[in-house]
């Protein structure tokens, strides 16, 4: 059994990983943690530096998630993709054919302070109005079972 988990190192992603570990402990599936970093909008040095910083941070979060899963006795791998999160997650399911895709619904209680909360809320609303959420996109297009875990 192979379970793919969309993982960005956020509080909700960590909670989702912990829930999957508890739910599927008896099955001992292969866990594939997939993280997606958005491409920079232009190729200026500043954007390239920020992109590389985000990529390195995401890779570290993925590695921490893999370390957690292997510490719990699971076989785990990581996959780091670049581009639109919705499309990259969909491509990952098409390439790896998981038995289950798990995503944590985005929380209205982000990890940061009041400014981060306000910005996240604004960006979420704008994203939902223009493109729909990642979970909505994948619910319509993924060809494998999808488990969307609610934010606590």
């Amino acid at each position: 059994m192979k379970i793919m988990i969309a993982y960005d190192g956020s509080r909700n992603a960590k909670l989702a990983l912990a829930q999957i570990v508890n739910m599927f402990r008896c099955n001992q599936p292969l866990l594939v943690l997939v993280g997606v970093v958005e491409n920079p909008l232009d190729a200026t040095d500043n954007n390239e530096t920020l992109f590389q910083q985000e990529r390195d941070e995401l890779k570290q979060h993925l590695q921490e998630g893999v370390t957690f899963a292997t510490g719990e006795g699971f076989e785990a791998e990581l996959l780091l993709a670049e581009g639109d999160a919705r499309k990259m997650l969909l491509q990952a399911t098409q390439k790896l054919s998981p038995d289950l895709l798990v995503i944590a619904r985005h929380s209205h209680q982000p990890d940061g302070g009041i400014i981060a909360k306000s910005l996240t809320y604004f960006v979420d609303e704008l994203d939902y109005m223009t493109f729909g959420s990642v979970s909505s996109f994948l619910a319509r297009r993924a060809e494998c079972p999808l488990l969307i875990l609610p934010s606590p």
Side-chain angles (χ1 to χ4, degrees), residues 46-108:
N46 255 357
N47 280 341
E48 186 60 31
T49 301
L50 287 174
F51 172 76
Q52 192 59 43
Q53 184 180 4
E54 284 183 33
R55 188 179 189 286
D56 292 345
E57 288 175 8
L58 181 57
K59 189 171 183 179
Q60 182 178 351
H61 289 308
L62 288 166
Q63 190 58 53
E64 290 169 0
V66 167
T67 300
F68 170 76
T70 55
E72 293 290 325
F74 286 77
E75 186 179 348
E77 301 173 352
L78 68 86
L79 176 64
L80 180 60
E82 297 173 8
D84 181 283
R86 299 169 301 157
K87 293 176 183 173
M88 293 297 105
L89 289 171
L90 182 61
Q91 282 183 4
T93 62
Q94 293 166 343
K95 181 179 177 183
L96 300 176
S97 302
D99 298 297
L100 179 66
L101 171 62
V102 178
I103 58 176
R105 190 166 46 194
H106 199 71
S107 174
H108 292 291

Side-chain angles (χ1 to χ4, degrees), residues 7 36 43 50 52 63 66 74 76 81 95 129 144 146 148 151:
Y7 195 83
V36 181
L50 287 174
Q52 192 59 43
Q63 190 58 53
V66 167
F74 286 77
K95 181 179 177 183
M129 288 186 299
C144 62
L146 174 65
I148 302 171
S151 56

Side-chain angles (χ1 to χ4, degrees), residues 1-7 13-14 16-34 62 64-79 96 98-102 147:
M1 178 179 212
K2 186 186 313 179
I3 298 177
M4 182 179 289
I5 304 171
Y7 195 83
K14 290 176 182 174
L17 176 59
Q19 285 180 300
I20 294 304
V21 164
N22 287 332
M23 290 170 65
F24 292 95
R25 185 175 302 280
C26 62
N27 299 81
Q28 291 293 308
L30 167 64
L31 301 179
V32 180
L33 279 61
V34 181
L62 288 166
E64 290 169 0
V66 167
T67 300
F68 170 76
T70 55
E72 293 290 325
F74 286 77
E75 186 179 348
E77 301 173 352
L78 68 86
L79 176 64
L96 300 176
D99 298 297
L100 179 66
L101 171 62
V102 178
L147 175 61

